[in-house]
Amino acid sequence: MLHTVNKSPFERNSLDTCLRLSKEGSAILLIEDGVIAAIKGTAESSKIEGAVANRPVYVLGPDVKARGLTEDQVIDGVKVVDYDGFVDLAEEHGAHNAWL
Amino acid sequence: MGAYSVNGTDFEHDEEGYILDVNNWNEDLAKVIADEEGLDMTDEHWEVVSFLREYYNEYQIAPAVRVLVKAVKKKFGKDKGSNKYLYELFPYGPAKQACKVAGLPKPTGCV
Amino acid sequence: MAEYEFDTEGVKKTFTFMNRKAPYGTVYALEVLETVLISAAFEQHANIVFADDGVYQLKAGHDTADIGMKNFSPTFGIIEMEKEDADEDEDIDMNWRIIVEKESMEARGLTEDDFKVDVEVIAAAELADIIDASDCVIGG
């Protein structure tokens, strides 16, 4: 199952609930404002730093770039993907769970 | 917009003939609506109408067709528990016609 | 309510409906509820899950008279009725579960007795397995 989170962890609890209600090992893709969770050195960074230890975590590059952030600022272990990568992930993981 | 006139009282309806206030409904009004629809109300028609009223009162929405079919089946037996039978009673469809006669809002859902 | 019939014979999937928003503030709750009701027409398996503020959707005693909105709380009775029908009728192969996440419920000081319908209260770890095992998840 592929989980996507599109809300900032500073604004909503979507990421928290996603982490709580998804299985270890299942993939998370951060998109739209959700990419903020993938950035190093913020008050919310620890959530994704913890998640990369037990599951694949991806972040959508175009959404990072659009917000004036760079790939260098992305937490180690998080893979940056483009739209083609997004499609591949969706295809690979079957069911999709969008945490809004 | 317009109104049904029943024994000197007007009941407003929308452009398709659904009454605006579900709480204003009564049997005399239902007869007037049925007349306009060209329906000859039998006991079976009334059973469907009263089922719709009860269901709406309890759940605040119109039932899905399959729920209505099941209820009719329970009441009148297996051979009458079908979509076809409901269409015989209400040729323009249970959603459009039966709900209108029962005073329910026009169903918005599609099942 | 309309006049279509769908042929879904032989197609059986498990849907999970996530309800995570409080009622009335946004349209999420009502939209998910309508989707659940539609899915009943296809006789599919469903987990109707309430987590985060979504647990307030099930709270007994909604009174919307003063906010000028329709109280859709009575409509949850249909989910319960569909579930009971399916459980009783051998001809209906439709397994519905109404699930509240234990952590969300407790975080809001609620207990099972606060809800309008009978629910299964399930802890997050177990609920994660249930969600993961479903064929389709509809979020909200």
PDB file of all heavy atoms in Angstrom, chain C residues 88-102:
ATOM      1  N   GLU C  88     -27.393 -10.903   9.066  1.00  0.00           N
ATOM      2  CA  GLU C  88     -28.489 -11.861   9.258  1.00  0.00           C
ATOM      3  C   GLU C  88     -28.808 -12.662   8.009  1.00  0.00           C
ATOM      4  O   GLU C  88     -29.203 -13.825   8.077  1.00  0.00           O
ATOM      5  CB  GLU C  88     -29.766 -11.104   9.668  1.00  0.00           C
ATOM      6  CG  GLU C  88     -29.799 -10.737  11.142  1.00  0.00           C
ATOM      7  CD  GLU C  88     -30.875  -9.699  11.415  1.00  0.00           C
ATOM      8  OE1 GLU C  88     -31.786  -9.540  10.570  1.00  0.00           O
ATOM      9  OE2 GLU C  88     -30.799  -9.048  12.474  1.00  0.00           O
ATOM     10  N   ASP C  89     -28.686 -12.018   6.836  1.00  0.00           N
ATOM     11  CA  ASP C  89     -29.134 -12.635   5.598  1.00  0.00           C
ATOM     12  C   ASP C  89     -28.003 -13.432   4.935  1.00  0.00           C
ATOM     13  O   ASP C  89     -26.996 -12.868   4.529  1.00  0.00           O
ATOM     14  CB  ASP C  89     -29.621 -11.530   4.640  1.00  0.00           C
ATOM     15  CG  ASP C  89     -30.319 -12.099   3.416  1.00  0.00           C
ATOM     16  OD1 ASP C  89     -30.081 -13.278   3.094  1.00  0.00           O
ATOM     17  OD2 ASP C  89     -31.105 -11.356   2.795  1.00  0.00           O
ATOM     18  N   GLU C  90     -28.213 -14.749   4.853  1.00  0.00           N
ATOM     19  CA  GLU C  90     -27.164 -15.598   4.283  1.00  0.00           C
ATOM     20  C   GLU C  90     -26.908 -15.301   2.809  1.00  0.00           C
ATOM     21  O   GLU C  90     -25.837 -15.590   2.284  1.00  0.00           O
ATOM     22  CB  GLU C  90     -27.545 -17.083   4.426  1.00  0.00           C
ATOM     23  CG  GLU C  90     -27.379 -17.592   5.842  1.00  0.00           C
ATOM     24  CD  GLU C  90     -27.818 -19.048   5.962  1.00  0.00           C
ATOM     25  OE1 GLU C  90     -28.079 -19.672   4.918  1.00  0.00           O
ATOM     26  OE2 GLU C  90     -27.910 -19.521   7.104  1.00  0.00           O
ATOM     27  N   ASP C  91     -27.900 -14.738   2.136  1.00  0.00           N
ATOM     28  CA  ASP C  91     -27.743 -14.452   0.708  1.00  0.00           C
ATOM     29  C   ASP C  91     -26.862 -13.236   0.450  1.00  0.00           C
ATOM     30  O   ASP C  91     -26.398 -13.025  -0.662  1.00  0.00           O
ATOM     31  CB  ASP C  91     -29.112 -14.190   0.048  1.00  0.00           C
ATOM     32  CG  ASP C  91     -29.952 -15.454   0.026  1.00  0.00           C
ATOM     33  OD1 ASP C  91     -29.347 -16.545   0.130  1.00  0.00           O
ATOM     34  OD2 ASP C  91     -31.183 -15.353  -0.083  1.00  0.00           O
ATOM     35  N   ILE C  92     -26.670 -12.445   1.489  1.00  0.00           N
ATOM     36  CA  ILE C  92     -25.855 -11.238   1.299  1.00  0.00           C
ATOM     37  C   ILE C  92     -24.435 -11.493   1.796  1.00  0.00           C
ATOM     38  O   ILE C  92     -24.210 -11.713   2.983  1.00  0.00           O
ATOM     39  CB  ILE C  92     -26.466 -10.029   2.057  1.00  0.00           C
ATOM     40  CG1 ILE C  92     -27.924  -9.807   1.638  1.00  0.00           C
ATOM     41  CG2 ILE C  92     -25.635  -8.774   1.784  1.00  0.00           C
ATOM     42  CD1 ILE C  92     -28.617  -8.695   2.402  1.00  0.00           C
ATOM     43  N   ASP C  93     -23.502 -11.482   0.876  1.00  0.00           N
ATOM     44  CA  ASP C  93     -22.105 -11.677   1.249  1.00  0.00           C
ATOM     45  C   ASP C  93     -21.453 -10.310   1.364  1.00  0.00           C
ATOM     46  O   ASP C  93     -20.813  -9.827   0.442  1.00  0.00           O
ATOM     47  CB  ASP C  93     -21.399 -12.530   0.180  1.00  0.00           C
ATOM     48  CG  ASP C  93     -19.908 -12.657   0.472  1.00  0.00           C
ATOM     49  OD1 ASP C  93     -19.519 -12.537   1.639  1.00  0.00           O
ATOM     50  OD2 ASP C  93     -19.137 -12.862  -0.488  1.00  0.00           O
ATOM     51  N   MET C  94     -21.690  -9.690   2.489  1.00  0.00           N
ATOM     52  CA  MET C  94     -21.210  -8.330   2.659  1.00  0.00           C
ATOM     53  C   MET C  94     -20.845  -8.152   4.121  1.00  0.00           C
ATOM     54  O   MET C  94     -21.696  -8.198   4.990  1.00  0.00           O
ATOM     55  CB  MET C  94     -22.334  -7.371   2.261  1.00  0.00           C
ATOM     56  CG  MET C  94     -21.955  -5.927   2.230  1.00  0.00           C
ATOM     57  SD  MET C  94     -23.267  -4.922   1.468  1.00  0.00           S
ATOM     58  CE  MET C  94     -24.189  -4.397   2.918  1.00  0.00           C
ATOM     59  N   ASN C  95     -19.559  -8.013   4.371  1.00  0.00           N
ATOM     60  CA  ASN C  95     -19.106  -7.885   5.750  1.00  0.00           C
ATOM     61  C   ASN C  95     -18.757  -6.431   6.034  1.00  0.00           C
ATOM     62  O   ASN C  95     -17.818  -5.897   5.464  1.00  0.00           O
ATOM     63  CB  ASN C  95     -17.895  -8.806   5.959  1.00  0.00           C
ATOM     64  CG  ASN C  95     -17.395  -8.765   7.385  1.00  0.00           C
ATOM     65  OD1 ASN C  95     -18.131  -8.420   8.311  1.00  0.00           O
ATOM     66  ND2 ASN C  95     -16.127  -9.081   7.568  1.00  0.00           N
ATOM     67  N   TRP C  96     -19.548  -5.802   6.872  1.00  0.00           N
ATOM     68  CA  TRP C  96     -19.297  -4.401   7.226  1.00  0.00           C
ATOM     69  C   TRP C  96     -18.842  -4.306   8.672  1.00  0.00           C
ATOM     70  O   TRP C  96     -19.407  -4.943   9.548  1.00  0.00           O
ATOM     71  CB  TRP C  96     -20.572  -3.559   7.050  1.00  0.00           C
ATOM     72  CG  TRP C  96     -20.801  -3.128   5.641  1.00  0.00           C
ATOM     73  CD1 TRP C  96     -20.342  -3.738   4.516  1.00  0.00           C
ATOM     74  CD2 TRP C  96     -21.549  -1.982   5.215  1.00  0.00           C
ATOM     75  NE1 TRP C  96     -20.760  -3.041   3.416  1.00  0.00           N
ATOM     76  CE2 TRP C  96     -21.496  -1.972   3.812  1.00  0.00           C
ATOM     77  CE3 TRP C  96     -22.244  -0.984   5.885  1.00  0.00           C
ATOM     78  CZ2 TRP C  96     -22.120  -0.986   3.055  1.00  0.00           C
ATOM     79  CZ3 TRP C  96     -22.866  -0.001   5.147  1.00  0.00           C
ATOM     80  CH2 TRP C  96     -22.800  -0.006   3.742  1.00  0.00           C
ATOM     81  N   ARG C  97     -17.834  -3.468   8.888  1.00  0.00           N
ATOM     82  CA  ARG C  97     -17.365  -3.233  10.257  1.00  0.00           C
ATOM     83  C   ARG C  97     -17.349  -1.735  10.514  1.00  0.00           C
ATOM     84  O   ARG C  97     -16.871  -0.959   9.679  1.00  0.00           O
ATOM     85  CB  ARG C  97     -15.946  -3.798  10.431  1.00  0.00           C
ATOM     86  CG  ARG C  97     -15.868  -5.286  10.155  1.00  0.00           C
ATOM     87  CD  ARG C  97     -14.425  -5.780  10.242  1.00  0.00           C
ATOM     88  NE  ARG C  97     -13.938  -5.765  11.620  1.00  0.00           N
ATOM     89  CZ  ARG C  97     -12.724  -6.219  11.962  1.00  0.00           C
ATOM     90  NH1 ARG C  97     -11.903  -6.675  11.039  1.00  0.00           N
ATOM     91  NH2 ARG C  97     -12.339  -6.180  13.232  1.00  0.00           N
ATOM     92  N   ILE C  98     -17.874  -1.350  11.641  1.00  0.00           N
ATOM     93  CA  ILE C  98     -17.820   0.061  12.048  1.00  0.00           C
ATOM     94  C   ILE C  98     -16.769   0.143  13.149  1.00  0.00           C
ATOM     95  O   ILE C  98     -16.945  -0.434  14.227  1.00  0.00           O
ATOM     96  CB  ILE C  98     -19.194   0.554  12.550  1.00  0.00           C
ATOM     97  CG1 ILE C  98     -20.274   0.261  11.493  1.00  0.00           C
ATOM     98  CG2 ILE C  98     -19.137   2.045  12.868  1.00  0.00           C
ATOM     99  CD1 ILE C  98     -21.693   0.557  11.975  1.00  0.00           C
ATOM    100  N   ILE C  99     -15.674   0.825  12.832  1.00  0.00           N
ATOM    101  CA  ILE C  99     -14.498   0.779  13.705  1.00  0.00           C
ATOM    102  C   ILE C  99     -14.113   2.170  14.193  1.00  0.00           C
ATOM    103  O   ILE C  99     -14.063   3.119  13.407  1.00  0.00           O
ATOM    104  CB  ILE C  99     -13.294   0.170  12.946  1.00  0.00           C
ATOM    105  CG1 ILE C  99     -13.614  -1.274  12.515  1.00  0.00           C
ATOM    106  CG2 ILE C  99     -12.033   0.218  13.800  1.00  0.00           C
ATOM    107  CD1 ILE C  99     -12.605  -1.859  11.524  1.00  0.00           C
ATOM    108  N   VAL C 100     -13.854   2.272  15.494  1.00  0.00           N
ATOM    109  CA  VAL C 100     -13.329   3.520  16.053  1.00  0.00           C
ATOM    110  C   VAL C 100     -11.910   3.253  16.544  1.00  0.00           C
ATOM    111  O   VAL C 100     -11.658   2.251  17.223  1.00  0.00           O
ATOM    112  CB  VAL C 100     -14.218   4.009  17.225  1.00  0.00           C
ATOM    113  CG1 VAL C 100     -13.523   5.110  18.005  1.00  0.00           C
ATOM    114  CG2 VAL C 100     -15.557   4.504  16.705  1.00  0.00           C
ATOM    115  N   GLU C 101     -10.987   4.141  16.189  1.00  0.00           N
ATOM    116  CA  GLU C 101      -9.622   3.963  16.676  1.00  0.00           C
ATOM    117  C   GLU C 101      -9.558   4.337  18.156  1.00  0.00           C
ATOM    118  O   GLU C 101      -9.936   5.438  18.561  1.00  0.00           O
ATOM    119  CB  GLU C 101      -8.629   4.836  15.889  1.00  0.00           C
ATOM    120  CG  GLU C 101      -7.190   4.489  16.234  1.00  0.00           C
ATOM    121  CD  GLU C 101      -6.249   5.687  16.208  1.00  0.00           C
ATOM    122  OE1 GLU C 101      -6.698   6.822  15.946  1.00  0.00           O
ATOM    123  OE2 GLU C 101      -5.044   5.483  16.469  1.00  0.00           O
ATOM    124  N   LYS C 102      -9.058   3.393  18.935  1.00  0.00           N
ATOM    125  CA  LYS C 102      -9.023   3.552  20.391  1.00  0.00           C
ATOM    126  C   LYS C 102      -8.257   4.810  20.814  1.00  0.00           C
ATOM    127  O   LYS C 102      -8.730   5.590  21.651  1.00  0.00           O
ATOM    128  CB  LYS C 102      -8.336   2.309  20.985  1.00  0.00           C
ATOM    129  CG  LYS C 102      -8.393   2.177  22.477  1.00  0.00           C
ATOM    130  CD  LYS C 102      -7.958   0.759  22.867  1.00  0.00           C
ATOM    131  CE  LYS C 102      -8.086   0.545  24.352  1.00  0.00           C
ATOM    132  NZ  LYS C 102      -6.938   1.078  25.101  1.00  0.00           N
TER     133      LYS C 102
END
